[in-house]
Amino acid sequence: MITTGQIIRCKAAVAWEAGKPLVMEEVEVAPPQKHEVRIKILFTSLCHTDVYFWEAKGQTPRFPRIFGHEAGGIVESVGEGVTDLQPGDHVLPVFTGECGDCRHCHSEESNMCDLLRINTERGVMIHDGESRFSINGKPIHHFVGTSTFSEYTVVHSGQVAKINPDAPLDKVCIVSCGLSTGLGATLNVAKPKKGQSVAIFGLGAVGLAAAEGARIAGASRVIGVDLNPKRFDEAKKFGVTEFVNPKDHDKPVQQVIAEMTDGGVDRSVECTGSVQAMIQAFECVHDGWGVAVLVGVPSKDDAFKSHPMNFLNERTLKGTFFGNYKPKTDIPGIVEMYMNKELELEKFITHTVPFSEINKAFDYMLKGESIRCIITMGA
């Protein structure tokens, strides 16, 4: 391609300050270096994680920065040492990676790559500690190694999943973060058997993906737990059959669920990050075989306690990272689930905006009006 090895000038939505609207700028995107690929982003979507770090809540602010990590695009060029990707490949960049060499990548039980595990503090590429983005010579920070709010971006090849070129990128782009996190928490970690009951704590995008996993697994009852009653009607589309609002009860939610289910649900998935919800999710599963899975990210100083008898009575508490999916190995398979009509993605997509109006996507999420907003880069 004519751009191979050349600097590309393109549009990017740059966050100059915490909490301030993104500004459309012309940026320079350097060629990919060793083990990197440069991708033309066609569609990206907004995840709550982007908003959290844009607001600079609870972590070191790093600006100016190009956010974005749920996206789909086409490889424009590859750097030295990249053998599994080539220009023209349809790909999804992912916020975490799979180097293929570390103990985690060699383990069937883990997806937490030593080299490419998510790093929200790093604003540069790991090969040389430099940014591939700049404006008039001034470096612009990367975000979780993806920075998809740019028409072109550079990503480590271990964070790039090659997918079926027939898959519509404006739909499957959402697979690269929240959808897979929730879906895998249910299918890979909670593993409900057909006919079992599942409680989902938090009915945002990740919780709805967890409910979708329960639907796919054939759960007989899917109980959604959320403080916002407006979410229940939407949740029905994802297989949620019953709804519990903790504010409607004068007893602990775990007790309410135990009474509803003759002793507790078979599985629960917590998707809020609330310590209280984590306790409730663990203590609402049935003794003997109940499994609770924690997905939500707590604040750094949080801690919770539960009586040891809950463990001795054979309840199991697990955690998960990115739904236990290995990005390069497993994400193409999720795309195939969609292509085979086993997984529904359209119902997660509530809004679409052109790239020039990307700040509308932030408005929709901040107002709680969207599940996923697709941002069309060419518009």
Side-chain angles (χ1 to χ4, degrees):
M1 295 180 68
I2 194 168
T3 52
T4 299
Q6 305 296 314
I7 290 173
I8 290 178
R9 290 176 174 82
C10 67
K11 293 179 182 177
V14 178
W16 289 99
E17 299 179 60
K20 297 294 179 67
L22 306 187
V23 179
M24 203 62 64
E25 304 277 11
E26 181 179 82
V27 299
E28 295 182 342
V29 185
Q33 301 301 306
K34 190 175 182 179
H35 299 311
E36 297 172 0
V37 298
R38 188 161 58 184
I39 302 168
K40 181 178 183 179
I41 300 296
L42 298 182
F43 299 94
T44 186
S45 63
L46 180 65
C47 170
H48 185 264
T49 302
D50 294 307
V51 176
Y52 180 80
F53 283 91
W54 166 72
E55 291 178 322
K57 290 183 175 178
Q59 77 284 330
T60 304
R62 198 171 294 283
F63 296 94
R65 198 170 208 179
I66 297 174
F67 287 100
H69 63 283
E70 283 189 356
I74 298 174
V75 174
E76 174 269 338
S77 61
V78 303
E80 177 189 346
V82 178
T83 58
D84 60 333
L85 296 163
Q86 60 186 9
D89 285 345
H90 286 223
V91 295
L92 304 182
V94 184
F95 67 90
T96 186
E98 183 180 351
C99 73
D101 295 325
C102 71
R103 289 180 300 168
H104 287 278
C105 287
H106 287 160
S107 169
E108 294 181 358
E109 300 179 58
S110 175
N111 65 338
M112 301 183 73
C113 175
D114 282 331
L115 179 67
L116 299 172
R117 193 179 307 181
I118 184 172
N119 185 320
T120 59
E121 296 291 320
R122 186 173 59 233
V124 294
M125 300 301 289
I126 61 174
H127 169 61
D128 57 6
E130 301 287 337
S131 174
R132 304 289 175 260
F133 298 109
S134 62
I135 297 177
N136 298 322
K138 177 182 174 60
I140 307 297
H141 294 295
H142 292 247
F143 178 63
V144 296
T146 53
S147 293
T148 61
F149 293 165
S150 174
E151 292 176 321
Y152 285 86
T153 189
V154 177
V155 182
H156 191 286
S157 63
Q159 291 181 239
V160 180
K162 180 181 175 180
I163 64 167
N164 185 340
D166 294 329
L169 289 171
D170 61 334
K171 306 295 191 300
V172 300
C173 64
I174 67 172
V175 166
S176 57
C177 180
L179 184 283
S180 296
T181 297
L183 185 74
T186 302
L187 294 180
N188 297 338
V189 188
K191 297 180 180 178
K193 297 179 175 65
K194 187 173 182 179
Q196 288 191 322
S197 57
V198 181
I200 308 292
F201 287 75
L203 297 176
V206 175
L208 294 175
E212 180 77 354
R215 181 191 68 79
I216 291 171
S220 60
R221 299 175 70 179
V222 182
I223 301 170
V225 182
D226 202 291
L227 296 170
N228 183 358
K230 294 179 181 178
R231 287 182 164 177
F232 185 43
D233 282 341
E234 190 74 32
K236 290 179 181 177
K237 301 176 187 177
F238 299 83
V240 177
T241 57
E242 299 159 77
F243 183 68
V244 174
N245 186 338
K247 293 189 292 187
D248 294 340
H249 302 275
D250 56 5
K251 61 181 73 171
V253 169
Q254 53 268 52
Q255 186 177 336
V256 172
I257 292 175
E259 291 172 358
M260 292 170 61
T261 56
D262 190 25
V265 288
D266 301 298
R267 304 287 187 266
S268 71
V269 184
E270 181 281 320
C271 304
T272 71
S274 160
V275 168
Q276 191 62 36
M278 293 176 184
I279 297 170
Q280 294 164 351
F282 176 46
E283 295 183 353
C284 81
V285 297
H286 206 287
D287 58 7
W289 60 81
V291 177
V293 178
L294 305 185
V295 182
V297 179
S299 298
K300 64 177 183 177
D301 295 326
D302 279 345
F304 70 86
K305 63 180 181 179
S306 184
H307 199 281
M309 284 306 300
N310 287 315
F311 292 94
L312 296 174
N313 285 333
E314 300 185 2
R315 292 180 178 88
T316 299
L317 179 64
K318 292 185 173 185
T320 181
F321 170 70
F322 192 48
N324 207 227
Y325 287 119
K326 294 180 186 288
K328 294 178 78 70
T329 300
D330 298 328
I331 295 306
I334 302 177
V335 171
E336 291 308 308
M337 287 177 65
Y338 169 73
M339 297 297 284
N340 295 331
K341 302 187 186 308
E342 300 166 19
L343 172 65
E344 300 172 19
L345 297 180
E346 285 82 359
K347 59 192 178 185
F348 287 89
I349 299 168
T350 52
H351 297 79
T352 302
V353 298
F355 189 33
S356 59
E357 299 178 13
I358 189 172
N359 288 301
K360 283 187 177 179
F362 282 75
D363 292 338
Y364 292 140
M365 182 162 285
L366 290 168
K367 293 176 182 176
E369 296 176 357
S370 69
I371 301 175
R372 278 296 182 266
C373 178
I374 302 299
I375 298 153
T376 303
M377 302 302 286

PDB file of all heavy atoms in Angstrom, residues 134-148:
ATOM      1  N   SER A 134       1.004  12.117  17.257  1.00  0.00           N
ATOM      2  CA  SER A 134       1.540  13.438  17.573  1.00  0.00           C
ATOM      3  C   SER A 134       0.756  14.508  16.830  1.00  0.00           C
ATOM      4  O   SER A 134       0.099  14.240  15.812  1.00  0.00           O
ATOM      5  CB  SER A 134       3.019  13.530  17.198  1.00  0.00           C
ATOM      6  OG  SER A 134       3.194  13.355  15.796  1.00  0.00           O
ATOM      7  N   ILE A 135       0.817  15.733  17.374  1.00  0.00           N
ATOM      8  CA  ILE A 135       0.256  16.914  16.733  1.00  0.00           C
ATOM      9  C   ILE A 135       1.345  17.982  16.748  1.00  0.00           C
ATOM     10  O   ILE A 135       1.803  18.398  17.824  1.00  0.00           O
ATOM     11  CB  ILE A 135      -1.002  17.423  17.462  1.00  0.00           C
ATOM     12  CG1 ILE A 135      -2.115  16.378  17.426  1.00  0.00           C
ATOM     13  CG2 ILE A 135      -1.498  18.734  16.833  1.00  0.00           C
ATOM     14  CD1 ILE A 135      -3.373  16.782  18.188  1.00  0.00           C
ATOM     15  N   ASN A 136       1.779  18.364  15.561  1.00  0.00           N
ATOM     16  CA  ASN A 136       2.852  19.368  15.440  1.00  0.00           C
ATOM     17  C   ASN A 136       4.073  18.989  16.286  1.00  0.00           C
ATOM     18  O   ASN A 136       4.667  19.826  16.963  1.00  0.00           O
ATOM     19  CB  ASN A 136       2.346  20.754  15.845  1.00  0.00           C
ATOM     20  CG  ASN A 136       1.227  21.242  14.938  1.00  0.00           C
ATOM     21  OD1 ASN A 136       1.261  21.004  13.732  1.00  0.00           O
ATOM     22  ND2 ASN A 136       0.245  21.921  15.525  1.00  0.00           N
ATOM     23  N   GLY A 137       4.388  17.718  16.290  1.00  0.00           N
ATOM     24  CA  GLY A 137       5.556  17.246  17.017  1.00  0.00           C
ATOM     25  C   GLY A 137       5.322  16.940  18.481  1.00  0.00           C
ATOM     26  O   GLY A 137       6.206  16.390  19.147  1.00  0.00           O
ATOM     27  N   LYS A 138       4.148  17.296  19.008  1.00  0.00           N
ATOM     28  CA  LYS A 138       3.842  17.036  20.422  1.00  0.00           C
ATOM     29  C   LYS A 138       3.190  15.661  20.561  1.00  0.00           C
ATOM     30  O   LYS A 138       2.138  15.394  19.955  1.00  0.00           O
ATOM     31  CB  LYS A 138       2.888  18.106  20.957  1.00  0.00           C
ATOM     32  CG  LYS A 138       2.459  17.880  22.407  1.00  0.00           C
ATOM     33  CD  LYS A 138       1.487  18.954  22.859  1.00  0.00           C
ATOM     34  CE  LYS A 138       0.916  18.675  24.250  1.00  0.00           C
ATOM     35  NZ  LYS A 138       1.943  18.609  25.287  1.00  0.00           N
ATOM     36  N   PRO A 139       3.758  14.746  21.366  1.00  0.00           N
ATOM     37  CA  PRO A 139       3.178  13.408  21.517  1.00  0.00           C
ATOM     38  C   PRO A 139       1.798  13.447  22.163  1.00  0.00           C
ATOM     39  O   PRO A 139       1.530  14.267  23.041  1.00  0.00           O
ATOM     40  CB  PRO A 139       4.180  12.693  22.439  1.00  0.00           C
ATOM     41  CG  PRO A 139       5.431  13.485  22.343  1.00  0.00           C
ATOM     42  CD  PRO A 139       5.009  14.909  22.126  1.00  0.00           C
ATOM     43  N   ILE A 140       0.936  12.559  21.700  1.00  0.00           N
ATOM     44  CA  ILE A 140      -0.390  12.373  22.278  1.00  0.00           C
ATOM     45  C   ILE A 140      -0.427  10.976  22.891  1.00  0.00           C
ATOM     46  O   ILE A 140      -0.028  10.005  22.248  1.00  0.00           O
ATOM     47  CB  ILE A 140      -1.495  12.505  21.202  1.00  0.00           C
ATOM     48  CG1 ILE A 140      -1.357  13.827  20.431  1.00  0.00           C
ATOM     49  CG2 ILE A 140      -2.873  12.382  21.845  1.00  0.00           C
ATOM     50  CD1 ILE A 140      -1.530  15.067  21.265  1.00  0.00           C
ATOM     51  N   HIS A 141      -0.898  10.878  24.124  1.00  0.00           N
ATOM     52  CA  HIS A 141      -0.887   9.594  24.832  1.00  0.00           C
ATOM     53  C   HIS A 141      -1.861   8.582  24.223  1.00  0.00           C
ATOM     54  O   HIS A 141      -2.949   8.935  23.779  1.00  0.00           O
ATOM     55  CB  HIS A 141      -1.254   9.790  26.304  1.00  0.00           C
ATOM     56  CG  HIS A 141      -0.242  10.585  27.080  1.00  0.00           C
ATOM     57  ND1 HIS A 141       1.041  10.138  27.299  1.00  0.00           N
ATOM     58  CD2 HIS A 141      -0.328  11.792  27.690  1.00  0.00           C
ATOM     59  CE1 HIS A 141       1.700  11.033  28.015  1.00  0.00           C
ATOM     60  NE2 HIS A 141       0.899  12.051  28.253  1.00  0.00           N
ATOM     61  N   HIS A 142      -1.432   7.326  24.256  1.00  0.00           N
ATOM     62  CA  HIS A 142      -2.298   6.196  23.902  1.00  0.00           C
ATOM     63  C   HIS A 142      -3.196   5.850  25.102  1.00  0.00           C
ATOM     64  O   HIS A 142      -2.967   6.308  26.218  1.00  0.00           O
ATOM     65  CB  HIS A 142      -1.462   4.966  23.556  1.00  0.00           C
ATOM     66  CG  HIS A 142      -0.664   5.092  22.306  1.00  0.00           C
ATOM     67  ND1 HIS A 142      -0.915   4.337  21.184  1.00  0.00           N
ATOM     68  CD2 HIS A 142       0.402   5.880  21.982  1.00  0.00           C
ATOM     69  CE1 HIS A 142      -0.047   4.644  20.230  1.00  0.00           C
ATOM     70  NE2 HIS A 142       0.768   5.583  20.700  1.00  0.00           N
ATOM     71  N   PHE A 143      -4.194   4.982  24.842  1.00  0.00           N
ATOM     72  CA  PHE A 143      -5.061   4.479  25.915  1.00  0.00           C
ATOM     73  C   PHE A 143      -5.206   2.972  25.751  1.00  0.00           C
ATOM     74  O   PHE A 143      -5.622   2.487  24.697  1.00  0.00           O
ATOM     75  CB  PHE A 143      -6.433   5.155  25.866  1.00  0.00           C
ATOM     76  CG  PHE A 143      -7.398   4.665  26.916  1.00  0.00           C
ATOM     77  CD1 PHE A 143      -7.128   4.849  28.264  1.00  0.00           C
ATOM     78  CD2 PHE A 143      -8.566   4.012  26.562  1.00  0.00           C
ATOM     79  CE1 PHE A 143      -8.006   4.388  29.245  1.00  0.00           C
ATOM     80  CE2 PHE A 143      -9.457   3.561  27.527  1.00  0.00           C
ATOM     81  CZ  PHE A 143      -9.170   3.747  28.868  1.00  0.00           C
ATOM     82  N   VAL A 144      -4.866   2.226  26.782  1.00  0.00           N
ATOM     83  CA  VAL A 144      -4.905   0.759  26.864  1.00  0.00           C
ATOM     84  C   VAL A 144      -4.419   0.086  25.576  1.00  0.00           C
ATOM     85  O   VAL A 144      -4.902  -0.986  25.186  1.00  0.00           O
ATOM     86  CB  VAL A 144      -6.293   0.209  27.297  1.00  0.00           C
ATOM     87  CG1 VAL A 144      -6.609   0.664  28.710  1.00  0.00           C
ATOM     88  CG2 VAL A 144      -7.418   0.614  26.340  1.00  0.00           C
ATOM     89  N   GLY A 145      -3.471   0.722  24.916  1.00  0.00           N
ATOM     90  CA  GLY A 145      -2.836   0.129  23.748  1.00  0.00           C
ATOM     91  C   GLY A 145      -3.680   0.082  22.500  1.00  0.00           C
ATOM     92  O   GLY A 145      -3.289  -0.561  21.511  1.00  0.00           O
ATOM     93  N   THR A 146      -4.828   0.770  22.488  1.00  0.00           N
ATOM     94  CA  THR A 146      -5.733   0.686  21.337  1.00  0.00           C
ATOM     95  C   THR A 146      -6.033   2.044  20.700  1.00  0.00           C
ATOM     96  O   THR A 146      -5.871   2.227  19.506  1.00  0.00           O
ATOM     97  CB  THR A 146      -7.052  -0.004  21.729  1.00  0.00           C
ATOM     98  OG1 THR A 146      -7.602   0.665  22.881  1.00  0.00           O
ATOM     99  CG2 THR A 146      -6.826  -1.474  22.052  1.00  0.00           C
ATOM    100  N   SER A 147      -6.525   3.016  21.504  1.00  0.00           N
ATOM    101  CA  SER A 147      -6.799   4.386  21.025  1.00  0.00           C
ATOM    102  C   SER A 147      -7.571   4.389  19.711  1.00  0.00           C
ATOM    103  O   SER A 147      -7.091   4.841  18.672  1.00  0.00           O
ATOM    104  CB  SER A 147      -5.481   5.156  20.871  1.00  0.00           C
ATOM    105  OG  SER A 147      -4.883   5.373  22.124  1.00  0.00           O
ATOM    106  N   THR A 148      -8.797   3.905  19.769  1.00  0.00           N
ATOM    107  CA  THR A 148      -9.582   3.740  18.542  1.00  0.00           C
ATOM    108  C   THR A 148     -10.404   4.964  18.157  1.00  0.00           C
ATOM    109  O   THR A 148     -11.097   4.934  17.138  1.00  0.00           O
ATOM    110  CB  THR A 148     -10.520   2.524  18.666  1.00  0.00           C
ATOM    111  OG1 THR A 148     -11.428   2.732  19.756  1.00  0.00           O
ATOM    112  CG2 THR A 148      -9.717   1.255  18.902  1.00  0.00           C
TER     113      THR A 148
END
